Every structure is written in structure tokens, then in C-alpha cells.
Amino acid sequence: MDEKLFAMRHSAAHIMAQAVMDLFPGTKFGFGPAIDEGFYYDFQLPRAATPEDLPAIEARMKEIIKGKHSFKRDELAIDAARAKFVDQPFKVDQINALAAGEIDEHGNAGANAATSVSTYTHDAFVDLCRGPHVSNTGEIPVDALRLLSIAGAYWRGNEKNPQLTRIYGTVWQSKKELDEYLWRLEEAKKRDHRKLGKELGLFHFSDDIGPGLPLFTPKGEIVRHLMEDYVREKQTAYGYQHVWTGHMVKEDLYRKSGHYDNYVESMFPPMVDEELILRLKPMNCPSHMTLYNEMGRHSYREFPLRFAEFATLYRYEKRGELSGLTRVRALTQDDCHVFCTEDQIESEFTLALNLIREILDSYNFKDYQVRLSLRGSTGKYVQDDEKWDKATSALRAALDKNGVEYFVAEGEAAFYGPKADFIAKDVLGREWQLSTIQVDFIQPSRLGCEYIAEDGATRTPVLIHRAVTGSTERFLGVLIEQFAGAFPVWLSPVQAMVIPIADRHVEYANFVAAQLRAQGFRIEVDTRAERMNAKIRDAQMQKIPYMLVVGDKEAEAQAVAVRLRSGEDLKAIPLAQFIEMAKRIVQSKSLELK
């Protein structure tokens, strides 16, 4: 987001807060930042707000905008700020947190204690704020402004705090940009994987099971299996070996690796078995390093040693942050850990990079960028400057050697090392972090991993962490939206629906299905007492790639009348010819249907 657009959206958030307070006297207000595609503000309202309130709030905002009120910055000492906002408890809480060094001016955890705070005033509204803003409200284009939705949010993201009302809005630099954005929003609603997943019968969530724990139907499990099998097949060809290391681990192992100190908030509570304390496994790396140690003494001649695993992991995500398949508590990673020497980092990075590129390209994710995620000045990181410097230098060198363009993000590293994160754009231009390659000089030494080097000395291997599609669940959610539920033929849970025109054609329809199943295709036959056109429409609604209509002429000619889910009619073709066409498309993992 460029600086001008950020300032516009930040200013619009303040204007919205003023409008809400004008229309809802007694409102208490919290945070109101600019975000990637708009802005929001959190409020404690005297009554519940509904979507029907948004037009009135938006109209009041436009009145304020037309007043061309200047934004004025002031600096207040902590005590003066408390007095200024004495009637706003959330602002006082924010001031106290700043004064105690609990948060910085960006709201991030951990900072130096503040002795003063800045405020911005426009018209009669004043707010704690670090800026920036436009010079006056008139710089917000009223025809490019829209309030969007209402949601709930806990104060400071803590579910133990009061739940506030969050109002989302957006503003752009022109009405044309707003219209394009609103179109993308509507298209995103149509593609919402939670909606399509239910309509296509792929997965469910149940209160009887618990939040963030998806249940996959037979169709959903077919897609999961195909996705994972594809990565497994490619990994094997690239020289990765597959292992399995279970679902639970002694807590002591995570204390040794550093995960307990740096990651315990994301772990489920411990399970106690007499003297043993066990944890559901939130990550694989300590288990893979333990397996490495249990396999006996290792020589440099074995390297690189690549352990891959499709492991279901369990992470204690906050309920309010769960979102369909893209944020769950049970996730299956296509995880890999490579034990290698320092000299092998570059070549192993190249190998992982080639694998990632091949698989992302096959799913039509061709527009992606790489983020070099480094440790920040604050946050939870294992303290070992020498190893951090070595890992960061090695990762930068590998990126540069492979000609990878990247941007740097301070504070986004794992607690044990820097990462190269692959952020792909889908067909609507939305960004998703999918793949990652991480260099780790820290954990292997903490867990006692060793090998005998060429000179006979005992040394510690480097560990490269790598995931291609991230988690199966999240990637499936992204794929549903990428393809709007219309998966490529090779990935479709049902690849063809055979549709007999009349009851007398059911026998031939079953023959066609048997011939296709014998070739490995996933086929269903629609024998319902419905009209042919209704059956075709229902198959299209289920995003099935092919509808094979059969009647007297097709049975006599050993043919099928092929209709595509797009509505295109390929007319009747010999069954053998259709099988060869479908085989070619499946084997090539083509995105085309013919």
C-alpha cells in the first residue's frame, strides 16, 4: 500500500469513529487502523449495530469529509493523556500499556516504556494516533468510500477482554478502483471455500467435534489424497525419504529444542501420564532430529539426508482467528527437514526451490514473490547472534545465486532462523503464503545432532526446514477459491457423470462407467428419475468436468455425447477416443478439459 492510500484509509477510520460517536452517543472506541484493502474501527456501542446502520454512518462520514477539517497532531505527557481520555476506558488501557512498555505505538508486544503519546484531532474528534493522515478530510474521495460489514472482535485480541463491534470500510483513490474492488469482493464471496466446500460435499465442521477440526467426506478425502500423493511422488523423485513420527511428544523435547519457551502459547495443554508430560505435536522438526539421533552415528557421506512427512499437527489457535480450512487447529503439513553441511545449503535450497516452482506452477500459481523473513529487534528468538548471522548470510546467498527476487521483512523469522516464504497471488489477486524454506543453525546443536566430517571431526549438521504447499487443509481451501470449486480433471473427486437419457440406457451407462473405472477414472452414473437437462444442470453445479450423455445412438456406436461443465457440447465421440483424451489431460495435469 502506498503512503497516500495508507494515509487516506487511516484518516477514513478516524472519520468513521467520529460518525459512529455522533450517531451512537456514549460509544467507547478502541483501535482503528488502515489495513491492506481498507480500514476498520472497534467500538463498544450502547446498542447492537446492524448492517442497516451502515448507510447512515457512511452518510455522516461524507458530511464530515465535505467539511474539509484539518488533521492536527499534538504530543501529550502520559498523565495528560489519561486525563484527556478519562471517559474512554479502552484508550486509557492503551495509554497504560504504552507507559508500561507492554506495547509499542504500532500495538506490537514489547517496547520501551513511553513517557508521552501523540494524538490527532480533526473537527471535534481526537484520538491517540501515531499518524500519518491526509492534511484535511476533504482529500478523501466520497465516491470512492464504502462501509462494508460488521463483525465482533475482542479488545487487544484477547478473548478474556470485552468483545467489541468492528466496522469495516474501504476507500480508494477513484470510483473505478472502488468498483473493481467491490467486484473482487463479490467474486470472492462466490468462491468462498467454506460455502463451496459444503455445496460440493467436501468437508464439514461439527460442534460435536470442536472448532478448527475439519471432517472430510469421501469426496474431500479423495482430493486430500491426490494433493498429498502428488507431492509425495515429486518429493521421492527429488530424493526425499518419507518417515512417520506420531502425534504426541514428551514436553521435555520441546524444552530442549526451544519450542517450549518460544511457542508454548500455540500448544494444546499438556497430558499427564504418571511422571510423563506429553504434548500434541505442533511441529515435526524436534521429532525428525530425534529420529536422526536414534538412527545411529552419521557420516558426511550420507548427506544430504532428507526426511519428509505428511504429519497431522495440532496448534492451539484462538477461536476468533479460526477460518474454515485456512486457519484450523488440526493441520497436515507436507513437511521436510534436510540434514546437510554448510557447503550444501545452496544446492539444497536450489533443489527445494525447483520442487516448489514445479508444484505451484501445476496449480496455476505463477505470480508469486519471495519474502526474506528475518528476526526483528523484539519478539521471541533464540539468542545466538553468530548462528543467526550465518543462517541469514547463507539464505541470502542461496536466493541471490538462484536469481530469486525477494523483499525483506524484519520480525517475520521463525524463532530459530530466517525464512524464505513464497507468497502467491490467486486469480483474484489475493496473496497467500504457501511454501517456505528455512535455514536453522540452532536447533540441531540444542538436540545434540552430530555427524563425522570428512576430516574425522565431529560436527553439527545444518537443518533446512521446507514445506511445498504448507498444510493440506489450508492449501485445499486456497485451491477451492483459486478454481472456484472447478478443480482440474486430475484433482476432481468425480471426473465424469454418465447420464442415461432413459431407463433403457442405464445398462449401457453402467458399461461406460465400468470401462472408465477400469482405466482409473472416478465415475458416477445418474440413474435418478429426472429429465436429462436437470441431470446435466446438477452435474454442472457439482463442478464435474465431464457429462457423458448416452442414448440409443451412443449405445449403438459405442460412443458418448460429451458436455463440459463450462456448457460446451463436444457432441458424440467414440468412447475409446474420449478415454484417450481424458487420459492425456489427467496425466499431464492440464488445466484444460479437452
Side-chain angles (χ1 to χ4, degrees), residues 197-499:
K198 186 175 182 180
E199 291 175 356
L200 300 178
L202 299 175
F203 62 87
H204 298 278
F205 289 90
S206 170
D207 290 339
D208 291 335
I209 297 296
L213 303 169
L215 302 170
F216 288 89
T217 66
K219 287 182 179 179
E221 169 53 24
I222 285 171
V223 180
R224 283 178 60 101
H225 172 77
L226 290 166
M227 289 166 53
E228 292 176 0
D229 195 52
Y230 177 42
V231 174
R232 179 186 291 268
E233 173 190 326
K234 289 297 180 183
Q235 284 181 161
T236 301
Y238 274 73
Y240 293 89
Q241 302 178 75
H242 292 86
V243 300
W244 190 81
T245 57
H247 295 264
M248 290 188 294
V249 171
K250 284 174 61 177
E251 184 179 273
D252 285 348
L253 183 62
Y254 296 132
R255 291 182 182 274
K256 292 177 185 175
S257 69
H259 285 89
Y260 185 87
D261 291 335
N262 296 282
Y263 204 81
V264 68
E265 294 88 353
S266 297
M267 296 184 190
F268 275 95
M271 295 172 283
V272 179
D273 175 21
E274 297 181 355
E275 77 285 358
L276 287 178
I277 300 177
L278 300 166
R279 294 273 186 171
L280 283 171
K281 191 167 70 170
M283 71 290 296
N284 289 313
C285 35
S287 297
H288 286 188
M289 285 182 278
T290 300
L291 177 61
Y292 173 91
N293 290 339
E294 292 294 333
M295 290 173 66
R297 289 168 61 85
H298 295 275
S299 163
Y300 73 95
R301 297 179 186 278
E302 300 172 56
F303 286 176
L305 187 60
R306 310 179 185 103
F307 287 170
E309 181 173 8
F310 291 92
T312 299
L313 307 175
Y314 303 89
R315 296 181 180 172
Y316 187 45
E317 304 283 1
K318 294 178 181 178
R319 288 194 188 189
E321 296 177 352
L322 299 173
S323 180
L325 296 182
T326 56
R327 194 73 175 265
V328 293
R329 287 176 166 176
L331 58 145
T332 306
Q333 280 193 337
D334 62 345
D335 209 358
C336 178
H337 295 95
V338 181
F339 299 86
C340 64
T341 66
E342 289 187 40
D343 292 342
Q344 293 171 328
I345 292 174
E346 186 180 295
S347 59
E348 284 306 298
F349 180 92
T350 302
L351 187 78
L353 176 65
N354 291 340
L355 174 59
I356 288 169
R357 283 173 167 167
E358 182 176 353
I359 289 180
L360 292 186
D361 283 354
S362 70
Y363 288 112
N364 207 31
F365 288 112
K366 300 183 183 296
D367 183 8
Y368 51 84
Q369 55 184 333
V370 175
R371 178 181 67 203
L372 177 57
S373 298
L374 306 178
R375 65 173 172 170
S377 57
T378 61
K380 292 186 174 182
Y381 302 104
V382 175
Q383 297 304 308
D384 192 323
D385 290 345
E386 181 183 354
K387 288 177 180 175
W388 271 98
D389 290 344
K390 287 173 69 175
T392 302
S393 296
L395 187 51
R396 281 186 185 273
L399 286 164
D400 293 339
K401 181 69 174 181
N402 282 277
V404 176
E405 293 186 10
Y406 58 89
F407 67 96
V408 174
E410 303 282 350
E412 296 294 326
F415 73 85
Y416 48 75
K419 305 186 295 176
D421 295 320
F422 291 72
I423 302 169
K425 285 187 178 180
D426 66 13
V427 291
L428 296 182
R430 298 171 302 179
E431 293 184 340
W432 302 91
Q433 182 186 322
L434 300 177
S435 313
T436 188
I437 305 173
Q438 308 170 7
V439 177
D440 182 0
F441 279 75
I442 289 173
Q443 284 192 83
S445 61
R446 291 178 71 109
L447 292 186
C449 297
E450 296 179 341
Y451 72 97
I452 305 302
E454 191 172 5
D455 61 3
T458 300
R459 297 211 173 99
T460 301
V462 177
L463 191 68
I464 296 178
H465 307 244
R466 187 240 65 199
V468 176
T469 59
S471 81
T472 300
E473 292 76 15
R474 186 169 187 270
F475 195 67
L476 176 54
V478 173
L479 284 186
I480 291 171
E481 300 193 9
Q482 167 82 339
F483 295 118
F487 294 114
V489 180
W490 72 272
L491 199 56
S492 295
V494 178
Q495 295 169 312
M497 178 70 76
V498 185
I499 300 174

Side-chain angles (χ1 to χ4, degrees), residues 72-144:
K72 179 185 176 184
R73 184 182 185 278
D74 291 299
E75 192 81 15
L76 294 178
I78 291 295
D79 287 341
R82 290 190 182 108
K84 181 77 173 177
F85 292 97
V86 67
D87 295 326
Q88 290 293 336
F90 301 113
K91 291 300 172 182
V92 172
D93 184 56
Q94 185 182 354
I95 293 165
N96 291 337
L98 288 164
E102 294 174 7
I103 60 173
D104 62 16
E105 60 178 359
H106 304 281
N108 299 320
N112 295 323
T115 58
S116 64
V117 296
S118 60
T119 64
Y120 273 84
T121 303
H122 77 274
D123 194 17
F125 181 76
V126 59
D127 195 4
L128 283 176
C129 186
R130 63 183 177 86
H133 288 283
V134 294
S135 61
N136 70 78
T137 60
E139 294 183 29
I140 308 294
V142 292
D143 62 348

Side-chain angles (χ1 to χ4, degrees), residues 43-59:
F43 305 99
Q44 188 176 67
L45 300 171
R47 70 163 175 84
T50 68
E52 287 70 31
D53 291 310
L54 296 183
I57 298 170
E58 188 176 307

Side-chain angles (χ1 to χ4, degrees), residues 557-568:
Q558 293 278 290
V560 288
V562 182
R563 292 174 181 259
L564 308 183
R565 64 185 167 206
S566 63
E568 185 178 354

